[in-house]
Amino acid sequence: MSQYLWLGASIIFTLVIAQVPGTLTPEEHPKLITQKCTKDGGCIPVDTAIVLDASYRYIHEVGGYTPCASGAFNSTICPTVEVCAKNCEVEGADYSTYGIKTAGDALTLNLFTTKEGILGESSPRVYLMADDSTYDMLKLLNQELAFDVDMSKVPCGINGALYLSEMPNNGGLNGLNKVGAKYGSGYCDAQCPKQAFINGMANIDQSFGACCNEMDIWEANSAAAAYPPHSCNITGVYACTGDLCGSKGVCDQSGCDFNSYRLGAREFYGPGKTIDTTKKFTVVTQFLTDDGSSAGKLQTISRIYIQNGAVIGNSNVNVPGVDPVSSIDDSYCTSQVKAFGGSGTFEKLGGMAGLGSALSRGMVLIFSIWMDAGSGMLWLDGEYPLDANATKPGVARGPCAADSGNTTMLANLYPDAQVKWSNIKVGDIGSTFGGLKAF
């Protein structure tokens, strides 16, 4: 682990180069009210906001209009990392054109937008901000995160995701990276994406990936839902290369997921089911420690739902070889791998203790909606892998058809696909939904 940490720090320290703020479009962050809750004081509103990821923005040559990158970097504007930093600037965003809307405590993300009469994919990704230049770093040990969500317009093949990543609180801002969190810089996750900029560094030949610890609170559509933690054996953003970016690298890319359908509770989540996805409901995720304090070690990640005024416990596992539990801990992750197959990288790369350390340092809350042209989102809501026997435990992850994630079909049938989150709360265990009765 130590050599990975050293290499990551070395790359980021010597090569963090970024664009400067542009002058064409001012950046104004849409407000999104959240709440902080305690057992004794109840919940109080917090003036937070959201910011669009930097990679979605217009990044162009200084004093001109030519994009610095359109797929590949413009070799004239960006022949080297250092020159690219001098030659490029990043603009503010008109959030409505990306299908992003806030109203009080509610955030709506649309998958598609229409411009000049033409429907196009937007797939926006935004981050929660504490102030105009700093991400809101959630430290969730012995805490819970709650939100209301409307999944009724998120069909098979689409993912309305809410998750945490160990991004830098200032977006990698420094003397050379002058945009930082204000412009949505610094993204990373456990898939180690090879994006155009890593912490503001121009990834000119796409040789680096941006790795970090990730906790998927909500990977879902109206047919299926999962919440997998992903551990990494590095701290913060790590710029990986080669095999270290892949499935045998520094991060657990598969995750230790809890998907009710996959785990045998096929009538628990979906339209007209126990959690009826035709209606709004509340999702509560609790990060329980071994000693019941924020200084303890992460032991269990539990899930509670609330709908129609009733508290509904998570479904129990109904798979041979796995205890009938309703939450995630190290024992569950180990037995799930034995039952479904896999490499067990979550445990090997840190497990609950590793993810808990990231939660203690603070992680950024991320909202997105997207579709997956590669797998059709079947890893979430259908039978996957495609060549596997559907009767084998763990293959069926949801009820969706093999072609349900066809992106052209989704655009034609669901041009209004959207997810809406609201009533986002962070607080002491049991403080976000006090007074409601269990079902």
Side-chain angles (χ1 to χ4, degrees):
M1 179 188 297
S2 60
Q3 67 179 26
Y4 295 153
L5 286 170
W6 180 85
L7 179 59
S10 176
I11 291 173
I12 296 301
F13 179 77
T14 60
L15 294 179
V16 171
I17 307 290
Q19 316 83 11
V20 296
T23 57
L24 301 177
T25 305
E27 175 63 15
E28 297 181 4
H29 300 135
K31 300 298 182 184
L32 178 65
I33 302 300
T34 57
Q35 297 181 60
K36 177 64 177 177
C37 306
T38 61
K39 288 182 179 178
D40 297 331
C43 298
I44 58 173
V46 181
D47 290 328
T48 43
I50 57 167
V51 63
L52 179 69
D53 179 274
S55 64
Y56 289 70
R57 298 168 180 272
Y58 178 34
I59 302 173
H60 60 91
E61 63 177 332
V62 174
Y65 301 95
T66 303
C68 293
S70 295
F73 276 90
N74 183 306
S75 60
T76 300
I77 302 172
C78 290
T80 67
V81 173
E82 293 79 4
V83 173
C84 194
K86 296 178 182 179
N87 287 348
C88 296
E89 58 186 17
V90 58
E91 294 295 340
D94 179 351
Y95 283 75
S96 63
T97 65
Y98 290 90
I100 302 167
K101 179 182 178 181
T102 62
D105 69 355
L107 167 65
T108 302
L109 298 182
N110 285 80
L111 180 61
F112 303 105
T113 58
T114 301
K115 297 179 181 179
E116 299 180 354
I118 300 175
L119 184 74
E121 181 184 352
S122 179
S123 295
R125 183 172 68 216
V126 299
Y127 312 129
L128 189 67
M129 302 202 75
D131 55 47
D132 198 47
S133 60
T134 310
Y135 295 130
D136 192 6
M137 304 300 289
L138 301 188
K139 298 181 178 182
L140 292 175
L141 286 184
N142 200 42
Q143 297 276 287
E144 64 187 28
L145 170 63
F147 56 87
D148 295 349
V149 66
D150 182 348
M151 303 297 295
S152 62
K153 292 186 177 182
V154 189
C156 290
I158 297 175
N159 187 348
L162 183 153
Y163 58 110
L164 300 161
S165 284
E166 195 181 1
M167 296 164 58
N169 69 334
N170 64 359
L173 186 72
N174 61 33
L176 295 174
N177 179 355
K178 297 181 180 180
V179 294
K182 182 175 181 177
Y183 287 80
S185 173
Y187 182 72
C188 58
D189 64 37
Q191 304 305 314
C192 302
K194 292 186 176 181
Q195 54 205 25
F197 293 89
I198 299 178
N199 243 7
M201 177 186 72
N203 193 13
I204 292 176
D205 59 2
Q206 300 291 293
S207 59
F208 296 118
C211 309
C212 67
N213 285 283
E214 176 183 353
M215 174 66 219
D216 293 329
I217 303 289
W218 190 247
E219 299 256 31
N221 52 42
S222 59
Y227 70 105
H230 300 265
S231 57
C232 301
N233 64 357
I234 46 86
T235 299
V237 183
Y238 172 76
C240 68
T241 58
D243 291 344
L244 294 180
C245 300
S247 60
K248 296 182 179 180
V250 297
C251 289
D252 161 44
Q253 298 188 344
S254 299
C256 174
D257 73 309
F258 197 109
N259 175 328
S260 295
Y261 192 101
R262 190 185 189 200
L263 293 167
R266 298 191 174 186
E267 297 303 314
F268 181 73
Y269 179 92
K273 298 183 179 182
T274 302
I275 305 300
D276 184 359
T277 56
T278 66
K279 304 174 182 177
K280 183 171 71 172
F281 53 92
T282 303
V283 180
V284 183
T285 307
Q286 299 176 325
F287 299 89
L288 308 175
T289 59
D290 58 354
D291 64 359
S293 78
S294 60
K297 295 181 179 179
L298 180 64
Q299 187 172 60
T300 305
I301 305 172
S302 69
R303 168 59 53 82
I304 298 167
Y305 296 91
I306 303 166
Q307 192 170 45
N308 298 324
V311 179
I312 305 169
N314 197 21
S315 60
N316 291 314
V317 175
N318 184 21
V319 173
V322 185
D323 290 340
V325 297
S326 60
S327 57
I328 297 173
D329 60 17
D330 283 325
S331 177
Y332 162 78
C333 294
T334 299
S335 61
Q336 189 220 52
V337 170
K338 291 180 180 178
F340 293 163
S343 59
T345 53
F346 176 73
E347 293 298 315
K348 294 175 183 177
L349 296 175
M352 298 295 280
L355 181 67
S357 293
L359 288 167
S360 70
R361 291 188 293 268
M363 302 179 77
V364 177
L365 186 61
I366 303 169
F367 308 84
S368 72
I369 184 170
W370 60 290
M371 54 185 179
D372 183 359
S375 74
M377 211 65 73
L378 294 174
W379 57 267
L380 172 66
D381 61 21
E383 295 175 1
Y384 191 81
L386 291 173
D387 59 352
N389 185 337
T391 63
K392 180 182 177 181
V395 172
R397 292 120 188 277
C400 300
D403 63 351
S404 61
N406 180 286
T407 55
T408 300
M409 179 196 71
L410 289 171
N412 290 332
L413 295 180
Y414 306 103
D416 61 344
Q418 67 172 221
V419 60
K420 182 177 182 178
W421 290 282
S422 58
N423 200 28
I424 301 161
K425 301 177 181 179
V426 175
D428 298 337
I429 300 297
S431 65
T432 67
F433 63 101
L436 296 176
K437 296 181 180 180
F439 170 70

